[in-house]
Amino acid sequence: MIVVKSLEELSNNPFTSPFALVPTMGNLHEGHINLLEIAREKNFLPVVSIFVNPLQFGPNEDLDKYPRTLDNDLEILEKNNCHGVFIPQENEILKNIEPLEAPFADKLCAKSRPGHFNGVISIVNKLFQVTNPQACVFGMKDFQQQLIIRHLIKTKQYEIQFLSAPVVRDTNGLALSSRNNYLTSKERTEASKVFKFLSEIQEEIKLSFKKQKKILLIDLDTIKDNYVQIIENKGFKIDYLEILDSKTLEICQNNSTKILIAIAVFYKQVRLIDNLVLDLSSFS
Ligand code: PAF
């Protein structure tokens, strides 16, 4: 495994093409390993970057306590035959970084984490520029993030193939996340109810759609409001629960085919996000 720690080393093009960049903040878990597999399935060598990006944390967020487990991460990557790793030095990667503004600034996570996606898009842009990948892989758990990165590739006209990876879940349904490490195993079981609620909402929309045939005939607001109540009664604090057109992140229209059901909750002060995408085209 090729481990690169400076921009100077990178300038010698140490990675073999074609490779896919898998940007991470470390503390790797099965979800990340799946991203490597997606890269390989598409015939790209996986190159993982590990950088806890300070630009994407708000002043009251968990930057200081964000789990940093570099030795273990490297071991995991080695074991999983990762082609390369890029571990930038903070001062080097942030120097002269172009500050970018992310689209969808008034939607989902951007509403409650102002500036977060500007931080994400700026660092990912820099990572693209310094590593020059032929592809990149992002997980669907951060649904809004992957829309924003697709937008970045388009507007900057990068020749980078975008590969998206499905959400990887624990056997109980809990979406894997580094932040799950803040919870005890009992709490994680409790937190897995979030996925159960999303699945129930999905089922309800699916059943109504089969009867009504038009998404606008379904009272999505009432479904949403009911579930906000149900979920809060189970001890979760809702940040948002949204049912939107997955392409535009706008309110669903009758021509919306893929419906995003997205949630962010606080559980034991840990912010958890998850989503499901319901494809209506198979029912019309
Ligand atoms: O998804 C993440 O872990 C981060 O937002 C990313 C893409 C590595 C940028 O810092």
Side-chain angles (χ1 to χ4, degrees):
M1 187 168 75
I2 302 161
V3 180
V4 171
K5 293 189 175 170
S6 71
L7 295 187
E8 197 193 339
E9 282 172 81
L10 256 193
S11 61
N12 299 327
N13 296 322
F15 306 124
T16 305
S17 295
F19 71 87
L21 182 69
V22 183
T24 79
M25 299 207 297
N27 197 239
L28 304 177
H29 49 67
E30 279 301 312
H32 296 108
I33 300 312
N34 186 47
L35 302 179
L36 306 193
E37 263 139 44
I38 300 279
R40 276 193 285 255
E41 266 171 29
K42 301 283 177 192
N43 297 318
F44 294 99
L45 292 167
V47 171
V48 169
S49 66
I50 300 179
F51 180 62
V52 181
N53 171 25
L55 304 180
Q56 69 188 72
F57 287 79
N60 299 318
E61 293 187 349
D62 54 348
L63 173 62
D64 292 339
K65 68 169 185 158
Y66 198 85
R68 288 159 173 88
T69 51
L70 187 58
D71 291 344
N72 195 40
D73 291 345
L74 290 174
E75 223 172 274
I76 292 177
L77 292 175
E78 183 95 61
K79 232 192 259 162
N80 285 279
N81 300 318
C82 186
H83 171 62
V85 191
F86 175 45
I87 312 165
Q89 304 301 314
E90 183 167 318
N91 55 349
E92 224 186 8
I93 199 83
L94 296 183
K95 199 173 158 196
N96 299 329
I97 191 164
E98 181 188 355
L100 295 178
E101 269 188 37
F104 306 115
D106 58 344
K107 307 282 179 209
L108 304 174
C109 290
K111 267 201 290 195
S112 41
R113 302 186 72 189
H116 167 70
F117 289 114
N118 295 345
V120 170
I121 197 176
S122 303
I123 201 72
V124 171
N125 182 49
K126 182 76 179 259
L127 290 169
F128 283 166
Q129 287 174 346
V130 295
T131 59
N132 271 311
Q134 286 70 50
C136 62
V137 196
F138 286 84
M140 291 280 274
K141 184 170 78 72
D142 292 287
F143 192 88
Q144 188 170 8
Q145 172 168 281
Q146 51 108 28
L147 284 188
I148 287 169
I149 303 301
R150 280 177 196 269
H151 181 269
L152 169 73
I153 293 174
K154 212 165 154 189
T155 51
K156 292 272 188 190
Q157 300 184 328
Y158 289 138
E159 285 185 13
I160 301 175
Q161 193 174 328
F162 186 94
L163 308 174
S164 70
V167 183
V168 179
R169 302 182 178 283
D170 211 334
T171 44
N172 59 20
L174 178 65
L176 296 193
S177 160
S178 300
R179 290 195 168 95
N180 295 350
N181 284 343
Y182 299 142
L183 300 172
T184 64
S185 92
K186 201 164 154 222
E187 288 166 346
R188 285 202 288 269
T189 307
E190 206 47 34
S192 69
K193 286 188 180 146
V194 170
F195 175 61
K196 193 176 139 266
F197 294 130
L198 287 183
S199 309
E200 284 176 15
I201 297 170
Q202 171 170 260
E203 211 42 45
E204 206 166 317
I205 301 174
K206 209 192 285 180
L207 287 179
S208 301
F209 187 78
K210 281 183 183 166
K211 277 193 220 134
Q212 311 269 26
K213 301 284 184 223
K214 280 197 163 54
I215 193 80
L216 287 182
L217 293 178
I218 305 172
D219 189 350
L220 295 174
D221 281 342
T222 301
I223 297 180
K224 207 170 76 176
D225 294 346
N226 280 343
Y227 269 93
V228 166
Q229 280 296 317
I230 294 171
I231 296 169
E232 293 231 319
N233 287 342
K234 292 283 179 197
F236 298 92
K237 190 177 166 312
I238 299 259
D239 181 5
Y240 63 75
L241 172 63
E242 299 280 6
I243 304 171
L244 300 170
D245 181 302
S246 73
K247 269 201 211 127
T248 59
L249 299 188
E250 299 288 347
I251 291 170
C252 299
Q253 301 298 328
N254 277 337
N255 62 1
S256 305
T257 48
K258 290 189 176 167
I259 309 302
L260 171 72
I261 310 160
I263 193 168
V265 293
F266 288 95
Y267 179 62
K268 305 280 168 195
Q269 288 170 353
V270 180
R271 191 171 183 279
L272 303 169
I273 58 170
D274 200 353
N275 69 76
L276 284 177
V277 178
L278 171 61
D279 188 350
L280 295 176
S281 58
S282 44
F283 309 113
S284 16

